[in-house]
Amino acid sequence: MEGLSGAGRAPLDAQPHDLLRLRAGELPEAEAGAPLPGWARRALERAPWVVVRRGCAAPGGLAVGIRGEARRERLAARVRPEQTAGRVTPYELAERRVWRGLPRLGEIAALRALDAAADHWDRLGLVWGPAGGAGFELATGTPVCRPSSDLDVVVLLSGRIAPEEARRILDVPGRGAEDSRLDVQGLSPRGGFALAEYARGGSVLLKTAQGPKLTADPWEA
């Protein structure tokens, strides 16, 4: 499957987990200002996509991450909107059910699990989408998921929910039959947090552009 084209260049309000397609010949700048390592250049030649991350970029820029083949190959970088040719959000991937056309669906448990999860979260009226390796593969067509990969998902939660509502979101029917772990991140206006951690009650670690913060209320941190 070929990667999705997106539409237009990425706006400055691109959100964490959005995937940005780079224009031909454009390269991000490593956050540390050093030259891009060889693995990063090869990864961008194979799939010219970066993922928006939380962080403070220079004015007029976007904080992004470069994904290599190995788990240790991750690099913080920054791009300018004019360097990008399009954007795909996790929510578009879910709405289009992109995984149903993926040739590797039978090999990857995390991708197969998306169908049951999609029906459950749609019934709950959630705005959600695949992120992490699953999101990257679905958006770019580049095989990065392994049979043991987790299923990373983001759920937009603009308004406060109770822990029992979080538990209901996580209670995906039939998930135990799939050989993959489900990692759901709630996204409040203040940042991202593990929904399973919030469902247990107590404080959660909230990921913000200024760094992680421990809070009992991820909507008011």
Side-chain angles (χ1 to χ4, degrees):
M1 183 184 74
E2 294 183 359
L4 302 178
S5 63
R9 75 182 192 187
L12 280 171
D13 63 351
Q15 299 299 305
H17 306 289
D18 289 355
L19 286 150
L20 308 179
R21 183 165 55 89
L22 298 174
R23 292 189 180 279
E26 294 287 356
L27 287 174
E29 180 184 356
E31 191 176 61
L36 292 181
W39 68 260
R41 289 178 175 271
R42 290 190 296 272
L44 292 171
E45 288 173 2
R46 185 174 68 137
W49 292 77
V50 291
V51 60
V52 179
R53 60 181 177 82
R54 290 183 186 85
C56 299
L62 294 163
V64 298
I66 302 172
R67 181 189 187 100
E69 293 189 39
R71 185 179 294 272
R72 67 179 180 278
E73 293 177 343
R74 302 290 186 271
L75 184 69
R78 49 184 175 250
V79 298
R80 301 182 308 279
E82 58 268 26
Q83 292 180 281
T84 67
R87 172 176 64 157
V88 176
T89 72
Y91 321 110
E92 291 170 332
L93 296 174
E95 185 176 354
R96 300 184 201 180
R97 300 293 197 265
V98 175
W99 56 90
R100 291 181 177 172
L102 195 71
R104 297 194 333 128
L105 188 63
E107 305 172 31
I108 310 298
L111 298 175
R112 292 197 305 273
L114 278 167
D115 257 343
D119 291 342
H120 175 62
W121 291 324
D122 286 353
R123 282 194 296 270
L124 295 178
L126 298 176
V127 178
W128 69 277
F136 190 89
E137 180 160 341
L138 293 172
T140 69
T142 306
V144 296
C145 291
R146 296 176 174 83
S148 60
S149 293
D150 293 350
L151 173 56
D152 295 308
V153 171
V154 291
V155 177
L156 282 182
L157 298 171
S158 54
R160 184 181 288 103
I161 65 171
E164 53 267 26
E165 293 177 279
R167 291 192 288 272
R168 186 180 176 197
I169 292 172
L170 294 171
D171 189 20
V172 176
R175 182 165 61 89
E178 290 291 354
D179 187 23
S180 66
R181 293 186 299 173
L182 179 63
D183 185 358
V184 181
Q185 185 174 161
L187 301 180
S188 81
R190 306 298 184 186
F193 59 97
L195 203 61
E197 191 175 42
Y198 179 74
R200 291 193 292 267
S203 297
V204 299
L205 191 66
L206 183 69
K207 299 174 184 177
T208 75
Q210 292 74 39
K213 300 178 180 179
L214 197 63
T215 178
D217 187 343
W219 287 270
E220 292 294 338

